[in-house]
Structures are given as structure tokens and as C-alpha cells.
Amino acid sequence: MATFLYKLGRISFRRRHFVALIWVALLTLAGVGAASAPAAGNSSFSIPGTEAQKAFDLLEQRFPGTSADGATARVVFKAPSGEKMTEPGNKATVQETVKELADGSEVVRVTDPYQAKAVSKDGTVAYAQVSYKVSGMELEDSSRDALEDSAQDARKAGLTVDIGGDALQTVPHTGTTEIIGIAVAAVVLVITFGSLIAAGLPLLTALIGVGIGVSSITALASALDLGSTTSTLAMMIGLAVGIDYALFIVSRYRAELAEGRDREDAAGRAVGTAGSAVVFAGLTVVIALVGLSVVNIPMLTKMGVAAAGTVAIAVLIALTMIPALLGYAGRRVKPAGEKGKLLGRAKAQEKQDKPVKPNLGTRWASFVVRRPVAVLLLGVVGLGAAAVPAASLELGLPDDGSQPTSTTQRRAYDLLSEGFGPGFNGPLMVVVDAKDSDDPKAAFTAVGDEIKGLEDVVTVTPPAPNKAGDTATITVIPDSKPSSVATEDLVHSIRGKGAGIKADSDANVLVTGQTAMNIDVSEKLNDALIPYLVLVVGLAFLLLIVVFRSILVPLKAALGFLLSVMAALGAVVAVFQWGWLADVMGVEQTGPVMSMMPIFMVGVVFGLAMDYEVFLVTRMREAYVHGEKAGQAVVTGFRHGARVVTAAAVIMMAVFAGFIGSSESMVKMIGFGLAIAVFFDAFVVRMAIVPAVLALLGRKAWWLPRWLDRALPNVDVEGQGLRSASGDQDKELVRA
């Protein structure tokens, strides 16, 4: 592989006009496609195989035209202080609002609070429920605007009006901290390279790669039913790895220049060596992201595949466009260690006259090699302490109660809790399928009676059968809030009662609704975590065996990753569940950690962790293969790679931390979780635990059974083939 990539790097350097033209054309094509593509809303949300989804599908069949999974909005009215919602003036305002809402083209029905008895016992709060034909993710902006305009008209009449439900779902936006993250990355690159030109190359190529990836997602959004949130993960991951991959190749290019090579040869060798690490690091990220499909949640699968595509683009750009741009930059990109106008050879001659002080990476690695046990114990104990909060991890999906208090959704949630109780925000819909029952009405009544006898139940509405009389819906209002453990237990209790009802009356009982759907999603994600972990870690383990030609090094990499993930999950629990540093992070409401977080952490962090493992350890293996002792190879690897890996980690942390400013709690949590995970993995695991373990193992770290060595393909990540080819060329020159 090194030889192939070496040739690719030289061709890209030499044919830079052609290479640059191809990437600019692809960016233009993707941009035009995105601009001309039909606007696509959020992707339709379905969870195949869950009971809640089966109930929704059944309702579509038995209650045609009711849009059981359509968006809903609760317009909540509160009377002025000292007044009641039943007073004539307030009642007239509410009824006028209901009339306005019913005129919407996507509206199925609007309930009148006074006819539906949706007025609180003290008479101060009332609500009108609006049901739509399509889901909240597919609702047109005009329908949302009409909803908000109607509420504003009621406010002018003196009422307090807020809107809850999923009808106001909007595309999450990120704050200015995202731009700050990119600015931090630029500063780190300038410090690392000591040159604006060299620092600008990784930023430029990363932005081009993300531009192509996100524009392609936008262009295909309508055709492939990609949601507006699909591009968020692609942007986050693509930007981070795009900068890092380019950083490693530019850094290796400068190192090759410092050894006296001409620029075209240096570009080829940079792509042949660092580029090989980029390819395998990118493969681990792609495996982790595509592996999200095993969860069998379509939205999550699409997000993973889209992000994986963006990572693949980042790899290709790093391998081709970076050497092309290096060709354009010419002498403006200096050899490693040179920041002035002097040539690299002159600088090297100057260094020969003075003793060279070991860099920080060399000094740190030398210390770790001398004290491996102490460093190893300190790193493991530190990460273990950070992971302690993960033992109290509570999972759930965010609802309006987790929104900032400044939002109308959160205010509506609080008003409903005040007027009707906390469980009113998470009603459960029980669907009774009595098509095979001899007495459907008796079955409906029996289900209602069984539910009334359960704990944590406040209200059970009478069964509402369909026209055929073979299916009915029953609304259950819990006593606890939607995201509580008590509500989850109630859902399981109702489903448990369904088994006995099935035996007695041949009627099937299904529980659905947004709250039940959230519970089912959480359980589905939890059940998929172990298979996903086995799949991703297993495939990447095999890949790393090929890269490092070792058994213990990939095993150590996987175990170190588990430490990083557990510590990062502990930090997420401490901030978002316990409330530590919540004000600093802009977390207004603590609560259960998002159900997707563990599987996201496993997938994304594993891919990124392997980046640093590959970049750092391949340098060590390169030194070991070229004749150095095992301990010295560790020091050599740090001398060449520690500075760049540190810069890459800081950049990736800055990019991820930029998403903490998002208005969406899910994006905020993912940004924080990934940023802290990169910190733990890069600076504790890869910079401390890894060299300590390698120092303890010595030559055993690179042991591989002979039969396996013969069976594995030789991908030559360390560039041995390039050195051999160079030696042959030198011999030919001597003979000539």
C-alpha cells in the first residue's frame, strides 16, 4: 500500500492543476445539486419491530384518515391573575383561536377545551389539542407559522398562551462556539507549523470535504428521505477528521523535507507513510459509523452512513488534494523546525553545530519508559475515578420538559403540569385489537378495568372503538412525568396485563404514544449496544492486526478505548444528569442521559481513538521494523508524532466543543461527550497508558504467530517498501 500511495502522492503533486480542478468541480456539482434539490423536511421517524410502532401501523389500518402518528400541538391557555378560563371573554378568545387553527390545510381536527373538558379543576388553565395529517418532522413551515400566529392573537387578548407537542420541532442550530472551535483549530495549526500557509492547508481541505459531504446530503435529502439532522453528525465528524488527516500528511511532508528530500519526493513519501495511517484510521471510523445500522433505527442508520461518506471524502482529499496544494505552496511550506526564511539544509547544518535539545514528546516518552508501572496505574485509576458516575446512568429520550425554560414548549409543559398534573404531558395510548375476539366490547371494557387497577394511573378514558367495532383506543394519564422510571414501569405493567387479556378474550393489547415510543427506543438501543460493540471492535481488531502485525497491540488499543468511553460517559452523567458544571455548559434542565449517547460514544469515539492509535503507534512500529529496540522505538515514535497527535487532539476537541453551543440538547450532549472522550483517549490512554504498556511488554508487543504472519496481507503501513526502493535507487546511482 505504501508504494501505491507514494505514487499517488507524486502524481497528485505533479498533476496538481488536474487534481485541484476535479475537487473544485465536485464541490461545485454538489453545491449546485444542493441549491436545486427540492426542500426536504425532517426524515420520517419509525422504529421497526417495537410495540409502539406496531400499534401506530395498526391504527393506520383500522382508523384510516386519523393520522395516528401525525404531529400534535397543545395550545395551552392560562387566565390572567384572579380570572377563570370559563369567563365569557376568555372563553370567546379560546373558541376564536380554535376556529382559526381548524382552517389549516394540514390540520385533521382541533378539540374545543370546553367540549372536551380540557379545563383544569381550578379553572385557570385550559388547552386545545391540534392534530395534523403528517408527522412533526414533515410538517410545513406555513402550518407552524399559523399555529404561532393564532397563539399570538390570543395573547393580545390578555391570555398567557404557550404551545407544546412535536408540531414545533425545528432544525437545531449551533451557536457561535462552533465558529470559535474552528478558530481554535486555526490557532493550533499555526502554532504547530509556524506558518500561515502550512496551517491553512488542513483547514481549507477539511472545509472543502465537509462542503462536498453536506451539500451531497442536502442534494439527496428528498430522494433518500434524509432528515435535516442527518448533516449535523456528518459536519461534526467530517470537519474534525478532515483537519486531522491533512495535519498528519502535511507534518510528515515537512519532516521529509527536513531530511533533505526534494518536494515531489517528500510529498510522495508523506502520502506513502502518513497516508497509509490515514487510510486505516479512516477505515476504523467508517466501520464504526456504518455499524450503527445494526441498531435497526432508520434515522440512526442514515446519520451513520452519511457521516461515513463524509469521512471517506476526507480521506481521499487528504491523499490527493493535500499533495496538490503542497505543490502550489512550493517553498512557502518550510521543512520541520524551520520557521524563518532559511532553507531546511542550512537549518540542519546549524543544528549539527549545536546539541539538539530533546522535544517535550521525547522527554515524556523517556520518563514513561523509565516509570511504566507508575504511569500505568495513575492513568487507569484516574480514568476509573472519572467513570464512577456512569454506574448511576439513567437513559431516556428528551421531551419538552428538558427544553430550556425560555422556550414556549417548556412553558406549555409546566402549565399543563400545574393545571393537570405531571403525567398529563406524557399520555399513553392503549390500542386494543379485538378482531379475533368473540365479544370485542367486553374485551375493551376489561382492558380499561385492568388499567384502572394499576399504580401510577390518574385517568383512564372510556374505550373509543373504530367504525368496524373491532379496535379501540384508550388514553391513560400517568401520575408521574413522561421521563420518569415510574411511567416506564407503568408501560411494562400494562403490557404485562395484555398477556392475560389475550388468553381470556383473544384481544391484543398494545401501548403506544410518544412516551411509549421513547421507552421502546431506549430499550432497543440498550439491547443493540453489546452486539454493536462486538461487531465494531471485532472488525477493527482484525484491521489493526493487519496494520500492526501484532496481537497484543490491537488488544491494548481496544481495552484502552473501553476505558476512555466509560470515563467519558461518567463525565456526561456528572454534567447532564447530576448537574455538575451545568451552568458553565449551558444545561438548563438536568435529567436522564439521551438513550443514543452510549451507542454514539462507542461508535464515534472508537473510530477516533483508533486514529491516534494508528498515527502514534505506526511511528513506533516503523522505528522498530527499521532496527530500533522496543523501548527506544516508543521514544522515537513520540519524538516524531507526539506534537502532531497533541495538535490533532486539541483541534478535534475544539471542533466538538463548538457544538456545545447548540440549541438542541441532543447535539449539545454529543458535542460535550465527544470532546471529553477525545481528551481522555488522546492524553491519558494514547499518551500515557499506551507507551507504558508497550514499555512493559517490550518485544512481546510485536509478537505475531508465524502462521498468522504468513496468512496476513502485507500492507506495509510503515513504508518499508519505500525505504527498500530508495536503497535500490542509491545502489544504482553508485554503480553508475
Side-chain angles (χ1 to χ4, degrees):
M1 174 177 283
T3 304
F4 169 76
L5 292 178
Y6 169 76
K7 294 177 180 177
L8 178 64
R10 294 195 64 159
I11 291 173
S12 299
F13 185 95
R14 193 182 311 121
R15 306 294 183 187
R16 48 187 172 272
H17 302 309
F18 179 70
V19 172
L21 182 63
I22 289 178
W23 285 113
V24 171
L26 288 175
L27 179 61
T28 304
L29 184 63
V32 171
S36 59
N42 288 296
S43 173
S44 57
F45 188 77
S46 64
I47 313 296
T50 61
E51 180 171 316
Q53 187 64 48
K54 291 176 182 177
F56 275 135
D57 296 340
L58 181 65
L59 288 172
E60 287 291 334
Q61 298 173 11
R62 305 289 175 84
F63 292 82
T66 58
S67 301
D69 60 346
T72 59
R74 282 180 170 177
V75 184
V76 187
F77 306 89
K78 184 176 183 180
S81 179
E83 298 183 16
K84 303 282 187 179
M85 288 303 304
T86 52
E87 294 180 13
N90 294 336
K91 186 174 182 179
T93 300
V94 172
Q95 290 177 331
E96 180 62 28
T97 303
V98 170
K99 184 179 178 181
E100 289 180 17
L101 291 169
D103 292 336
S105 60
E106 293 184 309
V107 174
V108 176
R109 60 186 174 277
V110 182
T111 60
D112 187 316
Y114 304 100
Q115 295 179 5
K117 299 181 180 180
V119 181
S120 63
K121 291 181 180 179
D122 62 4
T124 60
V125 179
Y127 74 91
Q129 181 151 317
V130 187
S131 300
Y132 293 90
K133 298 176 182 177
V134 296
S135 68
M137 296 181 177
E138 300 169 309
L139 202 63
E140 293 182 359
D141 290 338
S142 59
S143 296
R144 294 192 182 94
D145 294 339
L147 184 62
E148 293 174 341
D149 291 343
S150 298
Q152 186 60 35
D153 292 340
R155 292 189 189 105
K156 292 177 181 178
L159 298 178
T160 298
V161 186
D162 284 296
I163 306 168
D166 59 353
L168 288 184
Q169 284 183 337
T170 56
V171 179
H173 64 274
T174 52
T176 55
T177 49
E178 181 183 348
I179 300 174
I180 295 175
I182 297 176
V184 170
V187 172
V188 173
L189 287 169
V190 171
I191 294 174
T192 302
F193 291 135
S195 165
L196 289 175
I197 299 295
L201 295 182
L203 281 176
L204 175 61
T205 54
L207 291 174
I208 291 174
V210 169
I212 294 174
V214 173
S215 297
S216 299
I217 291 170
T218 304
L220 298 172
S222 179
L224 300 181
D225 191 28
L226 302 177
S228 53
T229 57
T230 304
S231 60
T232 302
L233 181 64
M235 182 186 301
M236 187 186 296
I237 303 299
L239 193 60
V241 301
I243 294 175
D244 278 7
Y245 294 164
L247 166 64
F248 278 96
I249 291 180
V250 173
S251 177
R252 186 60 183 253
Y253 170 76
R254 297 177 71 235
E256 295 293 338
L257 288 179
E259 293 185 8
R261 305 189 191 283
D262 67 78
R263 295 187 177 273
E264 182 178 328
D265 186 47
R269 288 179 175 273
V271 176
T273 51
S276 298
V278 165
V279 169
F280 283 99
L283 277 175
T284 60
V285 180
V286 168
I287 288 173
L289 292 171
V290 173
L292 290 171
S293 59
V294 303
V295 184
N296 197 27
I297 295 179
M299 183 186 72
L300 195 59
T301 299
K302 292 171 184 176
M303 291 178 68
V305 172
T310 307
V311 171
I313 292 172
V315 171
L316 292 174
I317 283 184
L319 298 178
T320 56
M321 194 168 186
I322 282 293
L325 292 178
L326 289 172
Y328 283 119
R331 295 183 179 276
R332 287 185 289 272
V333 175
K334 307 294 183 182
E338 181 182 343
K339 298 181 181 179
K341 296 183 179 180
L342 297 175
L343 294 176
R345 291 178 181 175
K347 191 76 174 180
Q349 182 62 44
E350 180 184 342
K351 288 183 178 181
Q352 289 178 2
D353 299 334
K354 296 181 180 180
V356 179
K357 182 181 179 180
N359 61 21
L360 182 60
T362 302
R363 297 198 298 273
W364 169 249
S366 299
F367 170 78
V368 174
V369 170
R370 291 196 305 270
R371 301 285 189 273
V373 176
V375 173
L376 178 61
L377 289 177
L378 185 62
V380 171
V381 171
L383 290 179
V388 169
S392 61
L393 176 67
E394 295 178 8
L395 298 176
L397 288 178
D399 55 23
D400 287 347
S402 63
Q403 296 273 7
T405 53
S406 59
T407 63
T408 186
Q409 295 98 320
R410 174 61 185 276
R411 293 195 298 267
Y413 181 97
D414 292 340
L415 283 175
L416 287 172
S417 296
E418 174 189 330
F420 301 93
F424 202 80
N425 284 289
L428 305 175
M429 180 183 289
V430 179
V431 181
V432 185
D433 178 9
K435 189 174 183 179
D436 298 329
S437 176
D438 296 332
D439 190 352
K441 290 184 179 180
F444 301 155
T445 304
V447 173
D449 293 341
E450 287 280 359
I451 296 174
K452 288 177 183 177
L454 297 174
E455 295 182 3
D456 201 50
V457 173
V458 174
T459 305
V460 179
T461 64
N466 62 349
K467 291 182 180 179
D470 58 4
T471 307
T473 60
I474 301 173
T475 301
V476 180
I477 305 298
D479 187 40
S480 51
K481 63 181 183 179
S483 59
S484 67
V485 176
T487 301
E488 183 177 348
D489 291 340
L490 176 59
V491 170
H492 292 310
S493 296
I494 296 173
R495 289 171 174 171
K497 291 291 184 181
I501 293 171
K502 172 70 173 176
D504 295 338
S505 62
D506 290 327
N508 290 317
V509 178
L510 304 172
V511 185
T512 188
Q514 190 60 49
T515 301
M517 179 68 83
N518 288 350
I519 292 170
D520 286 351
V521 170
S522 297
E523 292 181 352
K524 192 176 182 70
L525 287 165
N526 290 341
D527 293 341
L529 182 58
I530 299 301
Y532 174 68
L533 186 63
V534 171
L535 173 68
V536 171
V537 175
L539 289 176
F541 180 78
L542 295 176
L543 186 65
L544 292 178
I545 288 177
V546 175
V547 174
F548 296 126
R549 307 193 77 77
S550 164
I551 298 293
L552 296 179
V553 171
L555 181 61
K556 164 200 58 65
L559 294 176
F561 149 73
L562 292 176
L563 277 174
S564 302
V565 168
M566 292 305 299
L569 277 176
V572 169
V573 169
V575 174
F576 291 89
Q577 187 175 309
W578 291 0
W580 294 4
L581 300 177
D583 293 337
V584 177
M585 296 297 167
V587 180
E588 295 190 26
Q589 181 67 34
T590 59
V593 173
M594 183 185 63
S595 301
M596 292 184 183
M597 200 63 198
I599 208 159
F600 252 83
M601 296 286 286
V602 168
V604 178
V605 175
F606 182 78
L608 300 180
M610 293 307 102
D611 280 1
Y612 303 120
E613 180 76 15
V614 170
F615 290 136
L616 198 58
V617 180
T618 48
R619 270 290 197 170
M620 299 177 190
R621 174 162 177 78
E622 184 177 342
Y624 179 77
V625 168
H626 293 157
E628 293 188 8
K629 294 182 178 180
Q632 183 58 39
V634 172
V635 177
T636 300
F638 266 77
R639 181 172 69 249
H640 292 297
R643 177 184 176 89
V644 181
V645 169
T646 299
V650 172
I651 289 170
M652 198 169 280
M653 287 168 57
V655 171
F656 288 147
F659 288 85
I660 296 175
S662 172
S663 63
E664 178 63 40
S665 59
M666 179 181 77
V667 177
K668 182 189 294 287
M669 190 179 294
I670 290 175
F672 171 79
L674 295 183
I676 197 71
V678 168
F679 172 78
F680 287 144
D681 195 86
F683 294 106
V684 181
V685 174
R686 308 303 155 190
M687 292 287 190
I689 294 178
V690 165
V693 171
L694 290 177
L696 288 172
L697 291 175
R699 295 183 61 184
K700 296 177 182 177
W702 309 108
W703 171 79
L704 186 69
R706 291 184 179 180
W707 64 267
L708 185 57
D709 187 33
R710 291 192 298 269
L712 291 177
N714 184 12
V715 295
D716 190 22
V717 175
E718 61 276 355
Q720 181 67 27
L722 297 182
R723 178 165 295 199
S724 300
S726 176
D728 293 342
Q729 292 174 1
D730 293 341
K731 290 177 182 178
E732 290 178 3
L733 289 174
V734 170
R735 290 170 184 171

